[in-house]
Amino acid sequence: MCNGYLPIQMRVDKVLTENPDKTLKTFELSFLKDNDRENFKYMPGQFCEFSITGKGESPFGIASSPTEKDILKFTVNRTGSVTKEIHYLRPGDIVGVRGPLGNWYPVGKFKGGDVVIIGGGFAFTTLRSLLVYMLEHRSDYGKITVIYGARNPDLFIYKEELEAWDKRNDLILHLTIDKAVEGWTKLCGFVPTVTKEVKLDPKSWAVVCGPPVMIKFTLPVLKEIGFNDGMVYTSLERRMKCGIGKCGRCGIGSKYVCIDGPVFSLEELKNIPEAF
Amino acid sequence: MLKIKKENINTLLEELMKDYQVYAPVKNGSKAAFKVIENPDDIFTGHVKSEYSPKSVFFPQSEVLFEYSKEGVSIPEKKEKPYLLWGVRNCDTKSIRMLDKVFGNARQAPDKDMYKDPYWKQKYDTSIIFNFACNAPLTTCFCNWFGSGPFDESGSDIFVVETKDDLIFKGISEKGKELLKKLSVSEISDKKDEEAVSELKEKAVSMMPEVTDISALYEKLPKLWNEPIWQEISSKCVNCGACAFICPTCHCFDVSDEGKNGKGKRVRLWDSCMFPIFTMEASGHNPRGNSVDRVRQRVMHKFNYFKDNYGTHLCTGCGRCVVVCPVNLDIRDVIKDIINYELNKKVPADV
């Protein structure tokens, strides 16, 4: 019988420290078993339960794109007991992964349309997955605009990739920090303000992912510009355990974030007072 | 219908114990809980309803999901006979059927095996439930609010009525009917038995409380989201979680690793939405950080959300939470208060 509670074993191949404070690390994992590698089919926006046996298990969005073959990437902010243990991992260590779990950004629906990606801080993980995926299938999509904000330049993740994306001419990238610092040549200001200023086409699809306060203030801006609630998506986070709709922990209204989400359109969240 | 003389029950049970792991109410200190019996005399019959529900048979308070070591993970092999539950009341039979909607996966596409709970299914799928009629319902019983009653057969595999001298059996599910054919209960019940059953039923039904019409509950609840009623209801709740642990339908759980030196077990343990830590995130953010939100969550889940997903209320009126609540927060009063709550009530300006 298939057992959704059993993790597959994966090996840590690379550990990349994303910021000088070393609170953000990206882990690149590879599959130990061939059939796990073949069976693990995922889409941008899905998540996994990442565990170190004996230390615990926590959910993280998959930061790699399915177009990056044979590996999974997770970016982890050190904040609690499990993430502290994850930060101790070194290349060669074996970890447990359950997934892919949950639904994904509707990249199929996005086809032929313009897409706006709005992210904040280290929540850019599944947005990276989405962006890499769309760039690999570039001709399927219209204009791609990215607004990405962080408190300061150090707190952006995937800095090398951001530089490369910034040079592309088939992608508009707006990077913004909260307060001006010396040497920063890009935008300054909070994500909602920048969203208002950069002149977005309200007929686009939008994906918003970031800290709750950023989401809270960005959504009304999109509404004001004229975005359709059914075309604005966000990814929710809740404390989770099972990840398969049994343990009851991640409920928001009659939905479970783990199986009905984590990706929801604003249309779906409208009548769920607990969502934000 | 078939019947057996009471003095022959032990022979029947011994016969069942050959093919089944038989669970029945067993006295554990002052309270009864469903345990595997080794001897038919272990069964405690001196009550209407076991203090602890049989949910623990299929969904134990603590259950090993797998064992881990440096070599990897493994599931401890269990070779068990199919489960047979003896002496279950209809409120608990219904609860088990509800839990199967969650663990057996009625909500996800049936082909998605990952969303079926293998630990539940392994025990549940081959199980058989002997549902006993309640001859003397308790004052805390209110299953009739949910359309059930002390002689409700639905959900049973085999329905059993205890008369003065006999147990009368009726096969309800296919599985139940098949089993009855195989058993050495061959005496056919007669008209006199049927009269005795109707008499008992009539008496039991008359002992039930007046039915409160709960048909408005589901639609009314979302409208009350921001109303002060939740403050009123939750004001005396101490968030102890006793109601959730004793509830035959509450099924939230925690997952935790227990072990040391790289070797141990991953276990799941009953949990409750009444506890602040239930939703507390590592960042310190808690979407349900106060008692009012948590009490509302429990009521909403039982009488609105679950119905959205599975078409039924997540309560069978067993009344156990009424009995165990340390502050007498009575779910029947909560339901009535919600139904009677006046929306858009004008509050005098000078208050």
Side-chain angles (χ1 to χ4, degrees), chain B residues 33 73 95 176 266 269 313 317:
Chain B
V73 298
S95 307
R266 180 161 293 170
L269 307 138
H313 289 309

Side-chain angles (χ1 to χ4, degrees), chain A residues 103-178:
Chain A
N103 66 354
W104 50 89
Y105 300 121
V107 285
K109 282 190 197 169
F110 292 176
K111 274 187 188 172
D114 295 345
V115 182
V116 180
I117 293 174
I118 303 174
F122 53 83
F124 204 75
T125 56
T126 58
L127 296 182
R128 177 198 178 271
S129 174
L130 173 66
L131 183 59
V132 171
Y133 179 91
M134 290 200 301
L135 292 176
E136 278 297 314
H137 301 91
R138 188 64 193 87
S139 57
D140 285 348
Y141 304 97
K143 197 162 119 181
I144 298 176
T145 310
V146 179
I147 299 171
Y148 180 18
R151 282 207 303 280
N152 61 59
D154 286 341
L155 287 174
F156 285 105
I157 51 178
Y158 318 129
K159 292 184 187 69
E160 279 182 26
E161 285 179 300
L162 289 175
E163 257 178 59
W165 291 331
D166 202 23
K167 287 182 188 131
R168 290 179 71 130
N169 53 15
D170 58 353
L171 159 75
I172 304 161
L173 180 66
H174 301 290
L175 296 179
T176 180
I177 56 171
D178 290 1

Side-chain angles (χ1 to χ4, degrees), chain A residues 76-118:
Chain A
V76 177
N77 176 41
R78 195 185 68 220
T79 180
S81 57
V82 178
T83 51
K84 187 184 86 187
E85 295 295 338
I86 292 175
H87 267 240
Y88 287 140
L89 290 172
R90 285 182 297 187
D93 287 343
I94 305 298
V95 298
V97 170
R98 288 194 294 128
L101 301 168
N103 66 354
W104 50 89
Y105 300 121
V107 285
K109 282 190 197 169
F110 292 176
K111 274 187 188 172
D114 295 345
V115 182
V116 180
I117 293 174
I118 303 174

